[in-house]
């Protein structure tokens, strides 16, 4: 509540500083605190995080940095999460998921699912098998101990499983093979 009151109290100061064309951060107490953690839109926030990490690392080889490649990957993540249509069917011990080539955003699935499947296995111990056909990708994930979890997560939860994404994004931005 105190922070909300401070923000509301500072709104006129912020508006005044913007209208005067001055750098407003120096005029508003508290803006240098590490209070915000999200940079706005998710892809922009992910880019900003990686750019900051690269800038803070004296070992960064700027000749190999490829932020555009990371941006393309984030676009794939966005398309996969928001556009791809997946048919899910229970199988013994888990779930079989099928993406059709004519599904919106399917090209993102073609790039991401085969790369993610072995990572999922490495991080969870679950069996993860991908078959890429001309018109479909079939991904089957099974586990003797976590059948309900695999089914509950479904395609999108399984794609989001694991804590490898930040390191993966940093590798892409550094111009390295991410898998």
């Amino acid at each position: 509540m105190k922070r909300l009151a401070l923000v509301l109290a500072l709104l006129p100061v912020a508006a005044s500083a913007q209208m005067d064309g001055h750098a407003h951060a120096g005029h508003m107490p508290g803006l240098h605190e590490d209070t915000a953690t999200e940079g706005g839109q998710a892809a922009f926030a992910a880019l900003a995080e990686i750019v900051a990490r690269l800038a803070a690392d004296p070992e960064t080889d700027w000749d190999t940095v490829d932020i555009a490649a990371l941006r393309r990957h984030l676009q794939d993540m966005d398309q996969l999460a928001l556009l791809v249509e997946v048919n899910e069917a229970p199988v013994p011990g888990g779930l079989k998921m099928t993406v059709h080539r004519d599904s919106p955003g399917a090209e993102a699935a073609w790039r991401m699912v085969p790369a993610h499947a072995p990572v999922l296995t490495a991080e969870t111990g679950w069996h993860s098998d991908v078959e890429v056909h001309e018109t479909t990708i079939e991904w089957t994930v099974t586990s003797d101990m976590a059948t309900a979890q695999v089914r509950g997560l479904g395609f999108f939860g399984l794609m989001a499983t694991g804590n490898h994404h930040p390191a993966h994004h940093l590798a892409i931005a550094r111009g390295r093979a991410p898998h």
Side-chain angles (χ1 to χ4, degrees), residues 38 42 52 56 100 130 145 157 163 174 178:
E38 180 62 49
H100 293 271
V130 175
M145 305 300 291
N163 193 27
R174 289 189 187 280

Side-chain angles (χ1 to χ4, degrees), residues 80 83-89 95-100 103 109 137 139 154-156:
L80 187 91
L83 299 178
V84 171
E85 297 171 8
V86 181
N87 296 324
E88 297 180 352
L95 190 66
K96 181 177 183 175
M97 300 148 287
T98 304
V99 177
H100 293 271
S103 170
I137 289 181
W139 183 25
F155 178 84
F156 300 103

Side-chain angles (χ1 to χ4, degrees), residues 23-148:
H24 55 275
H27 301 289
M28 295 185 344
L31 282 187
H32 294 290
E33 295 177 20
D34 287 333
T35 56
T37 60
E38 180 62 49
Q41 193 268 353
F44 190 83
L47 288 169
E49 176 188 20
I50 296 302
V51 167
R53 290 191 64 174
L54 292 170
D57 181 359
E59 300 296 316
T60 295
D61 180 357
W62 292 101
D63 289 329
T64 63
V65 168
D66 190 353
I67 299 301
L70 176 56
R71 179 179 177 265
R72 288 187 299 275
H73 174 68
L74 294 171
Q75 288 172 322
D76 275 352
M77 290 179 73
D78 199 46
Q79 289 178 19
L80 187 91
L82 301 176
L83 299 178
V84 171
E85 297 171 8
V86 181
N87 296 324
E88 297 180 352
V91 296
L95 190 66
K96 181 177 183 175
M97 300 148 287
T98 304
V99 177
H100 293 271
R101 185 69 131 198
D102 60 357
S103 170
E107 292 304 314
W110 255 252
R111 287 186 287 274
M112 293 180 65
V113 173
H116 184 70
V119 175
L120 181 73
T121 295
E123 290 191 3
T124 64
W126 302 338
H127 181 73
S128 179
D129 182 54
V130 175
E131 295 179 24
V132 179
H133 305 284
E134 187 174 328
T135 60
T136 61
I137 289 181
E138 295 176 344
W139 183 25
T140 305
V141 178
T142 58
S143 170
D144 294 334
M145 305 300 291
T147 301

